[in-house]
Amino acid sequence: MAHLLDLSTLTAPLPAVVPALGELFSSAGFELSLVGGPVRDLFLGRVSPDLDFTTNADPDRTIAVIRRWADTYWEIGRAFGTIGLRKDGHQLEITTYRAESYDPGSRKPAVAFGTSLEDDLFRRDFTINAMALRLPSLELVDPWGGVKDLSAGVLRTPGAPSSSFSDDPLRMMRAARFVSQLGVRVAPEVLEAMTSMAERIGIISSERVRDELMKLVLGAAPARGIDVMVETGLADHVLPEVSALRLEIDEHHKHKDVYQHSLTVMEQACSLETDDAGAVPAPDFVLRFAALMHDIGKPATRKFEASGAVSFRHHDAVGSKLTARRMRELRFDNDTIKAVARLVELHMRFYGYGEAGWTDSAVRRYVNDAGPLLERLHRLTRSDVTTRNRRKAERLAFAYDDLETRIAALAEQEELASIRPDLDGAAIMELLQIRPGPVVGRAYRFLMEERMEHGPLGRDAAETRLRSWWSGQPESQLTADAHPSESRKA
């Protein structure tokens, strides 16, 4: 099906580089079409930051056409028929018509160039992405009913779903990602194919799986996307710890299971993100993923008490380790792993405050342990309250309001965001007349404990306490680090 596109039906403008590039290729005797996501997004009222095109020109001819026109170009994707370029601030990719498929045991697609636009569209993942806009004529090519499916909010494949997923199993995760990003529902036959072929995701590299998972989590409705992964069995291979939560009843017996509770926590965490000027700008992967993973330690720590209650002692510490292990397997970077795992580890810390109240020392330790994650921890802790008991929810909210008020009050007095001992390492060595070594570290930790317990001491008081600590240390532990001319000098 092809017809001229009435641009008045679209709410997003077409960037000027699009028709200009079409004229360039047409003048050179080649076909060119805007294709896939950028066409879909035009119907959704937005312009994709990355503009994708397809052509019957091979990479060499594509380069010949755009060489002088582009501000710059690159050939990183040349093996797959793709030439990238930048023009007037826009990033564009031009790919030769192609068909690609996976060998059952391979992680990489075997690429073969195609001969027609319609054949190229047939090999694409879903009908809503199998649309093209011929350039410069602005003829919409939609052979598989993408506009209709987009309007209906349904995700279908151009051909048989099993064939599509066999060609590229990552498309199954992409289906879950589009549920999160676009709010579509997956057609029954597509869900069936995903369920029967879920194990095929195992041939895809961890890096590609990770990238799709991140896009899903950063979408508008990540809980819905995760639910599709769990329902189809994809999560059994990608996030098995999340699938396992369906077996665990929470300690309050107020939720269907810990899995549903975790989805609710993630939804609530999303609602507490801020605008770009706020403390946690949306969308925030670290907060959202920590919310999803915060209870994955429960299956390993479940215990049935004599009273009949179910407990999950230390599930926070266990869950932190499981989270870090899963993220390493998915090839996340170390900083992201540490941040998410730390939030999982700390997510239960607040409940001691709600039950018994904290000293100023305990508040300082809470802030110090959270470090730069404090604002995320605030939101994760608040999101973790999903009880249907209104009085309990109000009591917990009031307690956390009080904790945040105390943190703010202490922060005005003590610069809580960057708590340090009153003496640094250099001052410690000068005062005690010792060289760098383990003793300096022990002295520093002593002063940090004093700072946590008592607040800012001032230099004189800190020196007095350090001398007192130093005088009580065993001689055998100190002489090795003393200056050659000193044994114990304070």
Side-chain angles (χ1 to χ4, degrees):
M1 178 174 64
H3 55 269
L4 291 180
L5 183 63
D6 180 4
L7 293 180
S8 67
T9 66
L10 305 179
T11 57
L14 199 62
V17 294
V18 174
L21 187 61
E23 292 285 359
L24 196 66
F25 271 75
S26 178
S27 298
F30 297 111
E31 299 176 4
L32 184 78
S33 298
L34 185 68
V35 69
V39 178
R40 176 202 69 218
D41 285 352
L42 287 174
F43 286 95
L44 295 175
R46 61 196 189 198
V47 176
S48 295
D50 300 325
L51 298 171
D52 299 325
F53 300 82
T54 188
T55 180
N56 62 343
D58 63 28
D60 287 338
R61 291 180 172 85
T62 293
I63 291 174
V65 173
I66 60 94
R67 186 192 303 273
R68 296 182 179 179
W69 180 79
D71 295 332
T72 185
Y73 73 92
W74 51 92
E75 304 179 45
I76 296 174
R78 186 188 184 99
F80 298 95
T82 300
I83 302 299
L85 63 103
R86 189 171 290 107
K87 177 70 175 179
D88 296 340
H90 294 278
Q91 184 165 305
L92 300 79
E93 286 192 350
I94 304 170
T95 302
T96 304
Y97 295 155
R98 70 189 189 193
E100 63 184 34
S101 62
Y102 274 75
D103 180 273
S106 173
R107 289 173 179 259
K108 297 181 179 180
V111 177
F113 294 149
T115 58
S116 74
L117 175 59
E118 286 74 13
D119 288 345
D120 183 89
L121 294 177
F122 183 74
R123 58 156 287 276
R124 294 181 179 268
D125 53 6
F126 302 105
T127 59
I128 62 173
N129 295 329
M131 299 183 287
L133 191 60
R134 288 190 189 274
L135 301 170
S137 65
L138 300 182
E139 177 188 18
L140 177 65
V141 181
D142 181 19
W144 317 110
V147 172
K148 180 181 177 181
D149 287 342
L150 189 61
S151 178
V154 64
L155 203 63
R156 295 189 305 111
T157 55
S162 58
S163 296
S164 179
F165 299 149
S166 180
D167 283 347
D168 185 352
L170 190 66
R171 290 172 175 175
M172 294 184 287
M173 280 202 64
R174 201 170 294 151
R177 188 242 292 183
F178 285 137
V179 168
S180 171
Q181 288 183 329
L182 304 178
V184 296
R185 68 182 186 279
V186 183
E189 69 275 12
V190 177
L191 275 176
E192 182 179 353
M194 291 170 66
T195 303
S196 64
M197 300 177 68
E199 65 179 14
R200 283 275 288 159
I201 198 68
I203 75 165
I204 303 299
S205 70
S206 297
E207 291 81 1
R208 295 185 72 207
V209 170
R210 173 203 64 208
D211 290 348
E212 283 298 325
L213 179 62
M214 289 188 70
K215 292 174 183 177
L216 184 160
V217 171
L218 293 172
R224 287 190 58 202
I226 292 295
D227 208 31
V228 168
M229 288 184 59
V230 171
E231 179 185 352
T232 58
L234 279 171
D236 294 344
H237 305 279
V238 176
L239 292 173
E241 298 84 359
V242 173
S243 295
L245 292 176
R246 290 177 298 174
L247 305 177
E248 303 304 319
I249 304 300
D250 82 325
E251 61 266 43
H252 307 297
H253 301 277
K254 295 296 185 181
H255 302 283
K256 179 180 179 181
D257 51 35
V258 178
Y259 167 67
Q260 290 295 335
H261 163 74
S262 297
L263 294 187
T264 300
V265 173
M266 183 162 64
E267 289 176 334
Q268 293 184 166
C270 293
S271 72
L272 294 179
E273 293 170 337
T274 67
D275 59 20
D276 289 345
V280 185
D284 188 88
F285 177 82
V286 169
L287 172 61
R288 293 180 178 200
F289 200 58
L292 175 65
M293 304 292 278
H294 77 284
D295 273 347
I296 64 169
K298 285 188 171 179
T301 58
R302 181 176 62 172
K303 181 180 179 181
F304 294 96
E305 305 292 347
S307 64
V310 181
S311 67
F312 303 95
R313 292 188 179 89
H314 308 302
H315 75 272
D316 43 358
V318 172
S320 177
K321 293 178 180 178
L322 292 174
T323 297
R325 185 178 69 183
R326 177 56 50 197
M327 294 182 73
R328 282 194 296 268
E329 291 184 3
L330 289 170
R331 304 292 191 271
F332 279 91
D333 65 275
N334 288 334
D335 288 345
T336 303
I337 293 172
K338 289 178 182 178
V340 175
R342 186 63 166 160
L343 284 176
V344 173
E345 180 183 3
L346 294 174
H347 83 271
M348 291 293 293
R349 182 75 66 85
F350 156 73
Y351 290 95
Y353 184 92
E355 294 167 2
W358 285 352
T359 63
D360 285 351
S361 173
V363 174
R364 293 186 194 100
R365 293 178 192 279
Y366 186 78
V367 174
N368 187 68
D369 288 348
L373 298 172
L374 181 63
E375 290 293 341
R376 291 184 174 106
L377 182 58
H378 287 334
R379 287 156 177 78
L380 176 59
T381 302
R382 289 184 180 277
S383 299
D384 196 23
V385 178
T386 60
T387 178
R388 297 174 186 174
N389 184 322
R390 189 178 70 178
R391 291 182 63 185
K392 181 176 182 180
E394 290 175 348
R395 184 173 70 252
L396 289 170
F398 176 82
Y400 208 85
D401 288 344
D402 183 64
L403 174 58
E404 288 201 60
T405 299
R406 289 186 62 193
I407 289 173
L410 282 173
E412 287 186 8
Q413 304 169 25
E414 305 181 15
E415 299 183 5
L416 286 184
S418 56
I419 292 179
R420 295 291 185 272
D422 295 88
L423 303 178
D424 61 16
I428 290 170
M429 289 188 288
E430 180 181 359
L431 180 69
L432 302 183
Q433 287 295 293
I434 58 175
R435 297 174 297 191
V439 173
V440 179
R442 291 202 299 273
Y444 186 92
R445 288 191 292 274
F446 164 76
L447 288 175
M448 181 61 116
E449 285 295 317
E450 291 293 297
R451 171 70 173 80
M452 287 289 184
E453 191 66 31
H454 304 290
L457 300 172
R459 187 178 185 90
D460 291 344
E463 289 181 351
T464 298
R465 296 191 185 202
L466 182 60
R467 287 191 180 97
S468 177
W469 172 86
W470 179 247
S471 66
Q473 300 304 299
E475 186 78 25
S476 60
Q477 296 184 31
L478 306 177
T479 54
D481 288 317
H483 284 310
S485 62
E486 306 285 343
S487 58
R488 182 189 298 271
K489 183 176 181 180

